[in-house]
Amino acid sequence: MKCPWLFVFTVLCMRCEAGGNKPRRGRGSMWWGIAKAGEPNNLSPISPGVLYMDPAVHATLRRKQRRLARENPGVLAAVAKGASMAVTECQHQFKYRRWNCSTRNFLRGKNLFGKIVDRGCRETAFIYAITSAGVTHAVARACAEGSIESCTCDYSHVDRAPHRSRAAAAANVRVWKWGGCSDNIGFGFRFSREFVDTGERGKTLREKMNLHNNEAGRAHVQTEMRQECKCHGMSGSCTVKTCWMRLPSFRSVGDALKDRFDGASRVMMPNTDLEVPAQSNDAVPHRVPRKDRYKFKLRPHNPDHKYPGNKDLVYLESSPGFCEKNPRLGIPGTHGRACNDTSIGVDGCDLMCCGRGYKTETIFVVERCNCTFHWCCEVKCKTCRTEKVVHTCL
Amino acid sequence: MIGMYDTYEEAMDMEEDDQYTESTWTYIFMCGEPTIYEGLRFAKDLIIANILLRLIIQSVVLPHNVRHSLSLVIGSFLLYYSIGPAFIWTVGLATGAYILIILLSCIMKKFRGLITSLSVIAFLLACEVYVLNPKMWQQIRGVQMIAAMKIISVAIELDRDLYKCMLNPVEFGGYVLCPANCILGPWISFHTYNQYLEVKFLSKRWFKIIFINLFISMLFLVLSNCVVPWYIDEETTKWLVAYRDAQAFRMSHYFVSSLSVVSMISAGFGLTNDCHSELHVTKPIFIELPRSLVQVVIYWNMPMHQWLKNYVFKTCQVYGQFTAILVTYAVSSLLHGLNFQLSAVLLSIGTFSYVEYNFRSKVALALEVCCLANPCVKQCDHKYKKNSVLTIFINALFSLITVIHLAYLGVMFEASFSVQESGYSFYHTISKWENLNYFSHGFVAFMYIIYIMM
């Protein structure tokens, strides 16, 4: 009885929010809430059907996203996994920074990462990139594992091997084709574009920023993918070749994106922006054609800097200070955060606590120790009680 | 506060463990599926060509020469489909060698084997050095080797007067390009080939044997590609890593060998009239748990061993035991091409097994223990028999040494794909051995000194 009402309410709320109150934020970010679905506070374990029925999940999705989930059974579980992977990775990468990628309760139309995403700052750029990368990665993997029905290993693509064929042709060897589930990443990429970029029409500068960062996240997953091959034949010759694609570990994607975060470029609207609608169909002036959605170039804020590449993160405004609590921006402040008294970096107590000082406590921690690896795939540990000195910001 | 901290730490730990386990299995899966797919894609051509040959031979009564020409035609097509235009080199080798044998037969009756062997080997070396690019050579090396072995065996058997009359071109071509073994081997003699073409059978067992062997080969393929390279961690000692890499190479060899059995069986070769397989190419169990290097050499590729023994060793035996062994290893490494790595590995195996053989016979004599390189055929006349504790201990020790030698010799073949594809360099070989401090070479030298002093 309650569920439909909740559903209607949240959808309405989302509508009005997207329509007017928050004009600056891109509109496609509500689905992040799916990362928290299926966690202990929700009773159901993750299984595609249950997840889809979950009204809380349902409410976070836009109409097009719901259609995509319906058309690709099993994909929602992958998206949820990708989103929670992204959150975990984000929190890992920003563990020792003032902004630590903390998440909020996503219910009631609130954004998972809080109001920080209303601002077009570096942190927001990272959030968009890592979540989009997470979906690409998780969907590609789920596709390879066969848990998405609409995505099968498409063996009709085996003949496509542009990067190999040229070398092979030059070497006068018959073009060697490689098979296997080569196109999983393609499915993940396309799906991520459809799903994640819903609502980012690319009209405003902020939407362009979101699109660019989403694309950057996907590009990192795609380019870090490696092909591994091996030869087989009599006494080490190469009569039979077998190759397979290996998805990068999500940690390496996170590391690469963190590097881009540190070197992110601040951008502004290009002067030539007017050309894009002029080239497209004049009859529909307000709508950027789908194909051209990704064809834009952002201009660096500082004209001396180079134009951002497709793997760079871009932002529009400088980050707010994360030191003090700021309810308007949803910043919790660094009060009570743990810090490292010997470090001179951002995780050091001086910077982390913004000069407010810190208190030092000695606590006993029960943790795993003497871990040994057992064949196969099991790690057994003892528990030890150790003394730890913890510094927390005032 | 403390409690919260604890649960947080624990949650982090749990998460990392889970991720580790998952990524392992996911990796095997992500690697296994495309691997099997490609393995089967390669096997498909082999099986189709060979079954086609067998079904035609079986169902239609054909004259002798037509059967051979059928083998010739199907074999050529199969070669073309698997290695592309490079198959011209194999066909060229066969044609050239046949013309040479015919010409030689007009002049002399004695040295045809020797001259043909030398010319074939010279042709292979010329191919490698001057004509073909390294990638292409790496691709067709195995095929050329099999063809060369067949040609040499025919030439030597002609010298030994084992044929009633000179082979006609169709017989010769059918034999050299026979689809059952022109790509992955194994070598079979012309007589066996001829005999297998005559064998008649038709039963369900046939499919069962093909299927079982195909399954085994795919198992070895997945082990080689996906399981073995992973199961020992990179950070452990370099000897364990060397063992792992060498084992991955051995698995790859078992894969090729069992796939060659599949191709033979699907052509109906190596089957008796009541459809039982009598074909053995390699014996993984005797290599993974070796008694001695000598045994490894024997069981690594049994048909090839047979060939070397029959045509090289026996021919040279008149010039003395040591010369015969030396020539055998020289021919074997020349057949593999002018590659430092293969020559070094083969020569090392030769010396290692020679020293081991002699050392063990001396130990057996001194301690009266049944620990020869080859197990005693019947009741051994040593004091300590096969099952005594001392014998088991000494044999286990020698086994361990062999395992180390195998890791040392096999680690060569683990390389990045570009190296695998275009051939191993001198530098690659030396750096691999340097990494292991030339242990085995030193150890064998040490063993030899003890042997001399004993």
Side-chain angles (χ1 to χ4, degrees), chain A residues 9-79:
Chain A
F9 171 72
T10 40
V11 167
L12 281 175
C13 183
M14 201 173 76
R15 283 273 165 81
C16 64
E17 187 182 64
N21 289 350
K22 306 260 171 22
R24 302 200 61 190
R25 188 207 301 171
R27 306 189 309 161
S29 59
M30 283 309 292
W31 63 271
W32 292 337
I34 206 173
K36 295 289 170 194
E39 282 197 349
N41 57 341
N42 289 317
L43 20 117
S44 51
I46 290 191
S47 77
V50 178
L51 196 62
Y52 181 63
M53 299 303 283
D54 191 336
V57 169
H58 209 104
T60 62
L61 300 183
R62 297 172 66 88
R63 198 190 304 152
K64 185 183 174 192
Q65 290 171 334
R66 266 178 246 148
R67 181 173 58 78
L68 282 169
R70 224 175 20 246
E71 285 170 359
N72 303 287
V75 88
L76 214 49
V79 171

Side-chain angles (χ1 to χ4, degrees), chain A residues 81 88 92 95 141 144-146 153 155 158 164 167 171-174 176-181 184 228-247 250-251 361 363-368 373 375-377 379 381 388 390 392, chain B residues 2 5-6 8-9 12-15 17 20-22 24-27 29-31 33-35 37-39 41-42 81-82 84-85 133 136 138-139 141-142 145-146 183-185 221 224-225 230-231 248-249 252 255-256 301 336 342 413-414 417 420-421 424:
Chain A
K81 200 178 161 201
T88 317
H92 170 85
K95 208 164 162 187
R141 174 178 282 187
E145 286 168 356
C153 291
Y155 292 129
V158 273
R164 301 206 104 258
N172 197 23
V173 180
R174 189 178 73 129
W176 171 75
K177 298 157 186 171
W178 95 276
C181 287
N184 299 327
E228 297 196 347
C229 291
K230 192 170 166 128
C231 280
H232 302 275
M234 283 185 69
S235 48
S237 65
C238 200
T239 317
V240 192
K241 283 175 207 158
T242 51
C243 293
W244 63 98
M245 289 304 236
R246 191 176 177 184
L247 270 178
F250 200 61
R251 176 56 38 82
E361 282 175 309
I363 56 169
F364 287 99
V365 184
V366 179
E367 59 181 19
R368 296 179 184 195
F373 180 75
W375 178 259
C376 166
C377 316
V379 178
C381 302
K388 264 198 177 168
V390 178
T392 42
Chain B
I2 295 167
Y5 195 68
D6 286 351
Y8 176 67
E9 283 279 291
M12 289 299 287
D13 279 357
M14 287 294 289
E15 219 161 67
D17 286 355
Y20 184 50
T21 320
E22 186 203 83
T24 299
W25 289 113
T26 314
Y27 176 64
F29 187 86
M30 304 247 333
C31 163
E33 194 193 338
T35 298
Y37 173 73
E38 290 203 10
R41 199 156 55 118
F42 181 80
Y81 269 101
S82 355
N133 66 59
M136 198 167 175
Q138 238 347 53
Q139 198 190 4
R141 202 183 72 197
M145 217 168 94
I146 285 293
I183 291 181
L184 296 174
L221 179 63
S224 167
N225 270 11
W230 165 81
Y231 83 125
F249 171 69
S252 161
F255 156 68
V256 171
N301 190 331
H336 286 88
L342 286 162
F413 296 96
E414 188 60 32
F417 180 65
Q420 287 184 26
E421 203 181 23
Y424 306 90

Side-chain angles (χ1 to χ4, degrees), chain A residues 1 23 67 80 103 136 148 166 186 291-292 305 308 331 336 365 385 394:
Chain A
M1 277 304 279
R67 181 173 58 78
T103 52
T136 313
I148 298 173
R166 200 185 301 137
K291 273 188 184 171
D292 292 342
H305 290 175
I331 294 166
V365 184
R385 220 176 132 78
L394 291 171

Side-chain angles (χ1 to χ4, degrees), chain A residues 201-215:
Chain A
R201 295 157 305 166
K203 270 169 72 184
T204 66
L205 185 53
R206 176 57 205 272
E207 283 178 342
K208 280 193 166 55
M209 167 190 156
N210 293 348
L211 278 181
H212 183 97
N213 292 326
N214 285 344
E215 281 285 283

